[in-house]
Amino acid sequence: MRISRLTVWHLTLPLIAPYRFSGGRQRVEALDTTYLRMETDEGLTGWGEGSPWGHAYLPAHGPGIRAGIETLASAVLGRDPRSLAALHEAMDRQLPGHQSAKSVIDIAAWDILGQAAGLPLWQLFGGDAPHPVALNSSISTGTPEEMIARIEAASAKGYRTHSAKLGGADIGGDIARMNAIAEAMPEGESITFDINRAWAPATAIRVLNSVTSRDWVEQPCETLAECAHVAGRVPQPMLLDECCHSFGDHLEAWRLGACEGVKIKPNRLGGLTRCLQVRDFCLSVGWRVHIEDVGGTALADTAAYHLASATPESHRMASWLAHAHLAEDPVPDQGVRNEGGFAAPPTTPGLGVIPDPDRLGTPVAVYKA
Ligand code: MG
């Protein structure tokens, strides 16, 4: 089986409400996402998606994903999509780094591998059933009252785990937000405070030793070294997200004792192949994991949920649904959906999301073998 054609679509999808990151880094009003259809000479077709959630969250951006696919196309066309390690080796030779572009290709190849095997991806990842995954809300930063209202709105939709974005300009404001939100959490619900790297280490140490909350704290500072410095000096359990881009970064985080858990995201790590390696490492060192994608529609969400669903519940934390923030849905009623605070991956072979090209507009690029 050989990859015969790659077709690329660029979608601009408005958010239901503007999303504000911690530290005033970026106000996101619409997502730039890329859809890829991978065709083969044996008639099987796979789909992938990549959206880096704006251009200031990661060192990745939508136009870069499409340029990356253009650069990678000649290394990908003609290869067997089922040979994932060889596919990555060829992509790495053609273009070092640029994991956000490789992720789109990798997801489409896994879709074809699953269809060829007649198995859903969760089973290829080791799962014994399409176990539902608990959902994690994502609470944009604001005043304590605004954030508590957003948490209550998420609770009404079934969410029992929440991720609140912190990291304002003043230390007192963040201490007030953390204390107020922790105090307001309903019985049976839990919260993670995601700083999105907005604090200097000194700020993180001061805030986290001042608050009463012993809830998870995520990515307090910019770099792995800074986060590791903080982790050894605060009482809260630590999650890492944006500073881990490779398997080696996770190994270094473990060596430094920098965290007790991580976010695993295909678009950041280079696809499901790399996420699977990281997931298995995390299980082996006892870390807990949130598995979700950086952004995108239900297509990208579904790819990540196949791996989340196949991860033992003892180590699996809740996953967010990026598509729940979007005002438009290019794959209506397909893939993972919020069902009472949980979402389960499809049981059909492969990814289980098949976009209708007529809904996607005119492709921006076509590459042929
Ligand atoms: Mg995060």
Side-chain angles (χ1 to χ4, degrees), residues 99-125:
Q99 305 302 348
S100 60
K102 291 171 183 168
S103 180
V104 186
I105 294 168
D106 172 276
I107 291 169
W110 272 99
D111 187 12
I112 290 171
L113 174 61
Q115 293 174 55
L119 296 171
L121 295 189
W122 53 259
Q123 194 156 16
L124 293 181
F125 296 149

Side-chain angles (χ1 to χ4, degrees), residues 57 163 165 194 196 218-219 241-242 263 265 292:
Y57 174 60
S163 174
K165 307 296 176 184
D194 189 357
N196 289 120
E218 182 175 329
Q219 193 71 41
D241 186 349
E242 296 101 297
K263 291 281 179 83
K265 300 180 177 178
E292 58 204 27

Side-chain angles (χ1 to χ4, degrees), residues 289-305:
V289 293
H290 291 266
I291 303 177
E292 58 204 27
D293 213 342
V294 177
T297 70
L299 199 164
D301 286 335
T302 301
Y305 274 61

Side-chain angles (χ1 to χ4, degrees), residues 207-218:
V207 172
L208 296 176
N209 284 293
S210 300
V211 296
T212 52
S213 162
R214 294 296 179 266
D215 302 294
W216 287 88
V217 171
E218 182 175 329

Side-chain angles (χ1 to χ4, degrees), residues 4-148:
S4 56
R5 185 195 297 249
L6 303 171
T7 307
V8 180
W9 284 267
H10 170 209
L11 307 179
T12 301
L13 303 171
L15 301 187
I16 294 167
Y19 189 96
R20 288 201 302 130
F21 271 116
S22 319
R25 188 169 257 114
Q26 186 191 11
R27 181 181 150 102
V28 184
E29 296 188 3
L31 280 196
D32 175 318
T33 196
T34 300
Y35 269 29
L36 173 74
R37 183 177 66 193
M38 177 183 284
E39 293 170 75
T40 64
D41 60 359
E42 295 189 13
L44 288 181
T45 295
W47 287 86
E49 182 186 5
S51 173
W53 196 257
H55 56 262
Y57 174 60
L58 289 173
H61 65 137
I65 288 180
R66 293 182 289 280
I69 292 171
E70 180 177 14
T71 303
L72 290 163
S74 64
V76 170
L77 289 163
R79 302 201 68 86
D80 190 326
R82 298 167 300 180
S83 301
L84 268 301
L87 179 65
H88 274 273
E89 188 186 3
M91 290 197 291
D92 288 346
R93 270 200 309 268
Q94 180 89 342
L95 179 68
H98 299 272
Q99 305 302 348
S100 60
K102 291 171 183 168
S103 180
V104 186
I105 294 168
D106 172 276
I107 291 169
W110 272 99
D111 187 12
I112 290 171
L113 174 61
Q115 293 174 55
L119 296 171
L121 295 189
W122 53 259
Q123 194 156 16
L124 293 181
F125 296 149
D128 60 357
H131 297 290
V133 176
L135 300 184
N136 194 15
S137 74
S138 186
I139 306 298
S140 172
T141 198
T143 66
E145 295 73 26
E146 287 167 345
M147 295 182 75
I148 289 167

